[in-house]
Amino acid sequence: MPRVDRSYAAAYGAAVCAAAYGSMKLAQALGAGALADKDPLPPGLRERLLARDPLFVASHWVLAGAALVAVVVALVSLRRRLAPVPRRLLLAIAWTLGVFMIARSAGVLGFGFVGDVLLLTGVRPPPVEHAALARDLAQWDLLLWSPFFLLWGVCWTMVGRRLRRGAANGAGNSRQATRRFQGSGTR
């Protein structure tokens, strides 16, 4: 697949991942379970989440809204001309989200492949009072959440690369056009 096609696929992938995540958070905000019991949270926070604590309900509304914005950002990044939206802003959003999601999937932020494997292999023992729950959540995180955030993060970094490359090509193209214009007047 040509590089251009991959970058377009990555933008659509980022939009689809954002839509899926936002749909899940919207469903949770409206009262559905939608994988809430598989969220890798410490036991106290998990209980508050499942009890529909107002703070968690509000956070689901915020995350659903943020996901909607992410869908728009991913789709706007596909446009050739970004006049109404500063390319640097889109570039900063894409790279920030990409790096954050890849770091989350790897385990830098506490959850992720490394932490899950350490817990499941016994290298890092789970809390004694919640050992079974911790193992269950680590399995879900290892098989669902970490790969999802890795895919989403890679899509965002590819969008960032496309935007950066587009900015560099745009600057180069305008310089070439200026040279051609100046050169045509001297003949």
Side-chain angles (χ1 to χ4, degrees):
M1 182 181 276
R3 176 172 278 161
V4 172
D5 291 341
R6 284 192 303 237
S7 69
Y8 276 91
Y12 285 116
V16 167
C17 287
Y21 186 77
S23 297
M24 181 189 67
K25 291 302 178 183
L26 178 61
Q28 289 175 350
L30 293 171
L35 296 172
D37 61 333
K38 307 304 181 208
D39 205 333
L41 291 171
L45 291 177
R46 185 173 185 277
E47 289 171 14
R48 289 177 58 195
L49 169 71
L50 296 176
R52 300 200 32 83
D53 181 283
L55 179 65
F56 279 96
V57 173
S59 73
H60 292 321
W61 282 107
V62 169
L63 290 171
L68 178 62
V69 170
V71 168
V72 171
V73 167
L75 296 177
V76 165
S77 75
L78 291 169
R79 296 182 57 192
R80 291 204 185 275
R81 302 206 187 271
L82 300 172
V85 181
R87 184 178 299 274
R88 287 184 183 183
L89 176 62
L90 293 176
L91 188 61
I93 291 170
W95 278 109
T96 301
L97 289 173
V99 169
F100 175 77
M101 290 176 184
I102 291 171
R104 189 271 181 231
S105 71
V108 175
L109 304 175
F111 303 107
F113 292 119
V114 174
D116 296 336
V117 168
L118 291 175
L119 187 117
L120 291 170
T121 58
V123 173
R124 188 183 77 202
V128 177
E129 65 276 5
H130 302 289
L133 175 63
R135 284 189 190 92
D136 183 49
L137 294 178
Q139 288 174 346
W140 273 97
D141 190 62
L142 187 63
L143 298 173
L144 175 66
W145 299 119
S146 292
F148 176 77
F149 280 107
L150 179 61
L151 171 67
W152 201 3
V154 168
C155 286
W156 277 118
T157 56
M158 288 179 70
V159 168
R161 285 184 60 198
R162 179 181 179 282
L163 288 166
R164 186 184 71 209
R165 194 171 51 243
N169 289 344
N173 291 341
S174 66
R175 279 189 227 117
Q176 290 172 354
T178 303
R179 280 190 220 125
R180 272 187 254 129
F181 178 74
Q182 290 172 345
S184 67
T186 58
R187 288 187 189 166

